[in-house]
Amino acid sequence: MEKIKLTAYDAAEFLGTEKLQKGYLDYVAKEGTPEELIEAIKTVARAKGMSKTAKETGISRSGLYKALSPDGNPTIDTLIKIAKSIGYNLNISFSPIKTNC
């Protein structure tokens, strides 16, 4: 029996255009969790290319790698800059918390 070689799936490999990147972010923003949206923004940064993303965001390449690493904890500012670099407006709004008091 022939062995099958599997490779890890990386959505960034399929987001080669700005239109696809925006569509991906739109979908995740509407259907996903905040954590999934953060991962989607990281994926878009990789799809664009880290050097290009760093240049467009004004964040150093090493800083971008650090913030977007699996152990990284990017700030909201970093995430907004990455989204903005593809023309995507990431707005954060807060809703009042309803209490039963």
Side-chain angles (χ1 to χ4, degrees), residues 14-77:
F14 302 95
L15 299 173
T17 68
E18 198 170 282
K19 183 177 179 179
L20 288 171
Q21 294 162 7
K22 285 181 183 179
Y24 178 61
L25 288 178
D26 281 341
Y27 177 78
V28 177
K30 289 176 187 168
E31 302 294 331
T33 65
E35 293 81 10
E36 290 169 332
L37 181 58
I38 290 169
E39 288 303 314
I41 292 169
K42 290 178 179 183
T43 300
V44 167
R46 286 195 328 276
K48 286 180 56 96
M50 294 298 267
S51 294
K52 184 175 181 181
T53 301
K55 183 177 180 179
E56 291 178 358
T57 60
I59 301 169
S60 71
R61 191 167 166 245
S62 63
L64 200 57
Y65 272 110
K66 183 178 177 182
L68 301 182
S69 72
D71 295 328
N73 188 16
T75 64
I76 290 173
D77 185 52

Side-chain angles (χ1 to χ4, degrees), residues 58-97:
I59 301 169
S60 71
R61 191 167 166 245
S62 63
L64 200 57
Y65 272 110
K66 183 178 177 182
L68 301 182
S69 72
D71 295 328
N73 188 16
T75 64
I76 290 173
D77 185 52
T78 297
L79 297 172
I80 289 171
K81 284 179 180 179
I82 294 168
K84 189 176 180 181
S85 76
I86 65 158
Y88 191 87
N89 290 319
L90 182 62
N91 297 307
I92 299 170
S93 62
F94 297 94
S95 300
I97 298 174

